[in-house]
Amino acid sequence: MRRLALRTGLRWKVSLAIAAVSTLVAVVLSLVVHNAARVSMLDNSRTVMDERVKVAQRWYEQSRVLGFGAKLDDPHLPEQLKKEAWRGQRATYLEDSGTGTPEVWASVPLRNGKVLSVHTKFQDRFAVLNDLDRVLIIGSVAVVLGGIALGVLIGDQLSRRLRKAATAARKLAEGDSEVRVRESIGGRVRDETDDLARAVDGMAEALQQRLEAERRVTADIAHELRTPVTGLLTAAELLPPGRPTELVRDRAQAMRTLVEDVLEVARLDGFAERAELQEIAVAEFITRRVRAVDPEAAVNVVRDAHVSTDPRRLERILGNLLANAARHGKPPFEVTVEGRILRVRDHGPGFPEELLADGPSRFRTGSKDRAGTGHGLGLTIAAGQARVLGARLTFRNADPLMDSCDEADGECRGAVAVLWLPESAPTNTGSFPIIEVPD
């Protein structure tokens, strides 16, 4: 069974932590203050009762009159005080059950053998203790709520900075080399978030420099190969007719195509390409180009649309998708036009799992089911040109629910490439195509 992970925000974790600490501190301090106040009141009450019994004793010995609520030989006198009186000691006694107001006794033995005693509950004094308890409760609640509010503020600030850092990091991962995490999070706070932003920015700059160096090396190599390959093609044209000459010309032409493709990939990776926009009718344009590239491919027009795009780059994308279908798939080949959406489908074994998971990769020609011919640059170039157009290029395999096919007859097999042309003109840098992975 899969374990369910509870995902909570950082602000609430910080708030709960501060609230828990605030609650613990408030409860402990309230108990300490309550007990200290109660002990102080009890000690003060016993002192007061001791002074009262001494005054009552002097009053009685001088005037034989009982005052201050004093009693002689009170039958309710606690046994502890009786024992102290037998010993000739003045004493106080506290009856405290833990609930309600404690009762305080004080007694003193007289010369005639009797015991003079006074007692009271000091209800007015211990009512103050109840008021103190209410104040402590209100104060504790205020401390806890204040701690939660402080935790929300602190956690929200940290969480906001982390979310901004994550957004900037995602943009970096998508290829936006101008984004810097430290600038995105903003603020002048120097904390671990700032250190993390510096580290990510440093890693991004180092990776960008490395990729740029690799791109320049690739472009330089391809550029240097262009001249000798052109000379090789020219020399091949001078060879006498025959099978060996055809093989040499074929391989030389394949090498020239590879060099041109590598140069195109290098230019696309360098973000140096810009779209030259024209207004076109999609259905007419696609039908004409498909007929020129593959006359046997079927064109289905569901809905026409007019878009502003670069016809040359759109033709390049369409040609590469059809070439990939012809090389790795099986006929019949279908091109569907549905407004700004173009679908190119074959009925072969479908795209390999690696391509569906990671997108097209240069010099990766397919899986075991898809023959390893070509150089694996066709879909890479198509994805790069789609980015220049601001379009979205997705890859998936045929689905019975999505493609209205009969799985029993094997008609559901095949690769489906979908190009989503943008509603508005692309920006100067274009946008990266999104590679969708089927569930």
Side-chain angles (χ1 to χ4, degrees):
M1 296 180 61
R2 296 180 59 185
R3 298 181 60 183
L4 297 178
L6 180 61
R7 185 179 183 274
T8 56
L10 183 62
R11 73 174 71 177
W12 298 117
K13 292 180 181 179
V14 174
S15 302
L16 289 176
I18 294 180
V21 174
S22 302
T23 303
L24 179 62
V25 172
V27 170
V28 171
L29 289 180
S30 298
L31 291 176
V32 170
V33 172
H34 173 83
N35 291 332
R38 185 178 181 84
V39 170
S40 176
M41 286 185 178
L42 292 176
D43 291 342
N44 181 262
S45 299
R46 299 180 74 156
T47 301
V48 170
M49 292 300 292
D50 185 62
E51 294 294 332
R52 185 177 296 181
V53 78
K54 288 191 295 183
V55 173
Q57 180 186 9
R58 289 196 297 269
W59 188 298
Y60 179 76
E61 290 177 347
Q62 293 175 1
S63 61
R64 297 301 175 181
V65 176
L66 295 175
F68 303 99
K71 295 181 180 180
L72 291 176
D73 294 334
D74 189 346
H76 301 291
L77 188 68
E79 291 295 329
Q80 290 83 349
L81 293 181
K82 292 179 180 180
K83 293 179 180 178
E84 295 296 329
W86 292 339
R87 296 175 184 173
Q89 301 292 329
R90 188 179 73 251
T92 59
Y93 178 75
L94 178 68
E95 287 186 353
D96 185 11
S97 62
T99 59
T101 304
E103 189 171 357
V104 185
W105 292 77
S107 65
V108 61
L110 300 177
R111 295 188 184 95
N112 58 8
K114 295 184 178 182
V115 179
L116 179 69
S117 64
V118 293
H119 77 278
T120 185
K121 289 187 176 182
F122 287 104
Q123 293 183 353
D124 54 342
R125 293 196 177 194
F126 284 91
V128 177
L129 188 62
N130 295 330
D131 296 336
L132 177 62
D133 290 340
R134 284 193 292 271
V135 171
L136 290 175
I137 293 175
I138 295 174
S140 299
V141 173
V143 169
V144 173
L145 294 178
I148 294 176
L150 180 62
V152 170
L153 291 177
I154 297 176
D156 182 67
Q157 182 180 10
L158 181 59
S159 177
R160 189 185 307 114
R161 287 165 60 85
L162 290 175
R163 286 197 301 269
K164 290 181 179 178
T167 301
R170 280 193 294 268
K171 291 182 179 179
L172 279 173
E174 292 172 357
D176 191 349
S177 59
E178 301 298 326
V179 174
R180 289 296 176 266
V181 177
R182 191 163 182 268
E183 295 178 358
S184 300
I185 63 177
R188 299 181 180 179
V189 181
R190 296 296 303 273
D191 55 9
E192 289 78 2
T193 308
D194 189 73
D195 296 337
L196 175 63
R198 289 174 179 269
V200 174
D201 288 342
M203 179 185 66
E205 291 177 0
L207 182 60
Q208 183 179 356
Q209 292 174 359
R210 181 175 178 179
L211 292 176
E212 180 62 23
E214 292 180 356
R215 187 194 65 80
R216 285 198 301 268
V217 169
T218 302
D220 292 342
I221 291 176
H223 183 75
E224 293 299 326
L225 285 175
R226 175 184 280 179
T227 300
V229 169
T230 302
L232 180 60
L233 279 173
T234 303
E237 294 296 333
L238 301 177
L239 294 176
R243 181 59 180 170
T245 300
E246 293 178 0
L247 292 176
V248 171
R249 291 176 180 173
D250 180 69
R251 292 299 88 194
Q253 183 61 44
M255 185 177 295
R256 181 176 182 177
T257 302
L258 173 61
V259 171
E260 296 296 336
D261 287 348
V262 171
L263 280 173
E264 185 174 357
V265 170
R267 289 194 300 269
L268 292 171
D269 288 346
F271 302 98
E273 297 291 294
R274 297 293 182 268
E276 298 179 1
L277 303 179
Q278 296 181 21
E279 190 77 17
I280 64 170
V282 179
E284 179 185 357
F285 179 86
I286 296 300
T287 301
R288 188 167 59 249
R289 294 303 188 274
V290 171
R291 292 289 179 264
V293 175
D294 187 355
E296 297 184 359
V299 179
N300 302 319
V301 179
V302 179
R303 185 175 66 256
D304 196 4
H306 288 77
V307 298
S308 179
T309 188
D310 189 328
R312 182 178 61 85
R313 299 184 189 279
L314 180 57
E315 182 178 3
R316 177 68 161 154
I317 296 172
L318 182 62
N320 282 15
L321 293 179
L322 287 173
N324 181 80
R327 182 178 297 115
H328 299 292
K330 294 180 181 180
F333 306 119
E334 301 174 359
V335 180
T336 303
V337 179
E338 188 174 350
R340 295 179 297 103
I341 304 174
L342 309 178
R343 292 183 178 86
V344 178
R345 181 190 174 190
D346 62 50
H347 289 75
F351 289 117
E353 295 298 328
E354 293 82 0
L355 186 144
L356 295 177
D358 304 325
S361 177
R362 63 197 66 178
F363 300 110
R364 184 173 64 189
T365 57
S367 64
K368 297 179 180 179
D369 294 331
R370 295 169 72 82
T373 60
H375 304 290
L377 296 178
L379 294 183
T380 302
I381 293 174
Q385 295 291 3
R387 183 197 66 223
V388 176
L389 294 180
R392 185 160 62 104
L393 183 60
T394 64
F395 302 96
R396 61 179 177 84
N397 289 329
D399 187 338
L401 299 178
M402 299 177 62
D403 299 288
S404 301
C405 53
D406 187 1
E407 190 174 9
D409 296 336
E411 294 296 328
C412 286
R413 301 178 61 192
V416 181
V418 184
L419 180 68
W420 309 68
L421 295 174
E423 295 183 2
S424 57
T427 61
N428 291 334
T429 58
S431 59
F432 284 90
I434 299 176
I435 309 303
E436 292 186 347
V437 181
D439 295 333

